[in-house]
Amino acid sequence: MGFEYVSKLPTPDEIKEQFPLAPELAAVKAVKDAEIRDVFTGKSDKFLVIIGPCSADRADSVCDYVNRLAKVQDRVKDKLILVPRIYTNKPRTTGDGYKGLLHQPNPEKKPDLYEGLIAIRKLHMRVIEETGFSTADEMLYPENLTYLNDVMSYIAVGARSVENQQHRLVSSGIDVPVGMKNPTSGGLSVMLNAVHAGQHGHEFIYRSWEVKTKGNPLTHSILRGSVNKHGQCQPNYHFEDLKLLHELYMERDLQYPACIVDANHSNSNKQYMEQIRIVKEVLHSRRHSDDIRNFVKGVMIESYIEPGCQKVDEHCYGKSITDPCLGWDDSERLLYEMADSL
């Protein structure tokens, strides 16, 4: 074997015992879970906005951003439910470079997985404690789910993970909404197969245990655009795309039909300012059709304090070191415009 075993990492139970979530914060999360669940089950007509940095790179600037978000939430709470993106497992497509807070608590230093596990748990807990927000993260590594499952209210499965069986099976044992992105090829049937798998119970191996799940009825789809064989981005947020996905849902026996539209990635061709226009088009499509309004439950937006992105060693406070993000001023304005239009 070509592995060098560096160190044995603490188990999720050991990390949780060392850094427990206070009962009063667990109660805050339970309230948020119920609010978000009601959107997916149709009990609430509020609109979800999963928003925040592409990668949760530095705790202080991330928490600064989320505290700003909390002030907006107070003013739009009748229309919008904001869920901060605290994405701590940021993969690079080639595997090179920065791999996210889990691997590199200091983006300019070598990986330290032990310190990374502590850093990501502390950051999610700090967000709840400071702002009353529970969080969203991407499940890049299914075996790491239980380090954070008591602090997250929303989980995404990425375009490159959605075809992986372990991601699908683990999603079936999660008790908060799990969004399955369409693969980079754009295949809607692949995404819907993942939704089906997540909604049904399974037996499988998880962290050296045989486990059994009951299924997660809140598993749903995320449209993020696709890339063709020539490397050209093909968006899938238009009215016709939403209508087609809704029709495909109606042909399947799936609970709580629901879709989230990712306004960045291949939908925007990573042109971060396009997110504004895309979100407004999605809201227009919802106004045009009751079926689409009931089906499209929210949007994802990549947003940070400063617009654009930078290299790791440039040190501009609150500016993404991964994909380019919408800046705070534009993000704040967009959130108020969204609330006004609903």
Side-chain angles (χ1 to χ4, degrees), residues 2-71:
F3 297 149
E4 176 188 348
Y5 290 87
V6 178
S7 62
K8 186 172 176 58
L9 295 170
T11 67
D13 285 344
E14 289 168 342
I15 288 287
K16 287 175 176 175
E17 184 177 355
Q18 189 177 359
F19 302 99
L21 184 67
E24 60 271 22
L25 298 182
V28 169
K29 179 186 178 296
V31 171
K32 291 292 184 181
D33 286 352
E35 291 178 355
I36 296 169
R37 171 182 288 272
D38 285 350
V39 172
F40 284 98
T41 61
K43 292 181 181 178
S44 168
D45 61 0
K46 293 182 181 180
F47 196 65
L48 285 174
V49 185
I50 300 149
I51 184 170
C54 171
S55 175
D57 48 12
R58 299 183 186 276
D60 288 344
S61 55
V62 168
C63 288
D64 179 352
Y65 173 89
V66 179
N67 273 281
R68 299 180 189 203
L69 207 60
K71 295 176 182 177

Side-chain angles (χ1 to χ4, degrees), residues 39-40 46-50 80-81 154 220-223 242 258-263 279 282-283 286 292-301 338:
V39 172
F40 284 98
K46 293 182 181 180
F47 196 65
L48 285 174
V49 185
I50 300 149
L80 303 178
I81 297 176
Y154 186 91
H220 60 278
S221 57
I222 302 175
L223 292 176
L242 302 175
C259 171
I260 300 287
V261 175
D262 180 348
V279 167
V282 170
L283 294 177
R286 291 176 86 247
I292 300 303
R293 179 174 56 80
N294 294 326
F295 178 55
V296 177
K297 303 294 187 179
V299 292
M300 286 185 164
I301 301 169
M338 290 172 66

Side-chain angles (χ1 to χ4, degrees), residues 21 29 43 59 63 70 82 87 89 93 107 111 125 165 167 202 249 251 267 314 332:
L21 184 67
K29 179 186 178 296
K43 292 181 181 178
C63 288
L82 310 183
Y87 276 33
N89 301 259
T93 305
M125 290 170 59
Q165 195 69 352
H167 284 80
H202 303 278
Y249 256 94
E251 295 172 3
N267 270 332
E314 289 183 359
E332 182 182 34

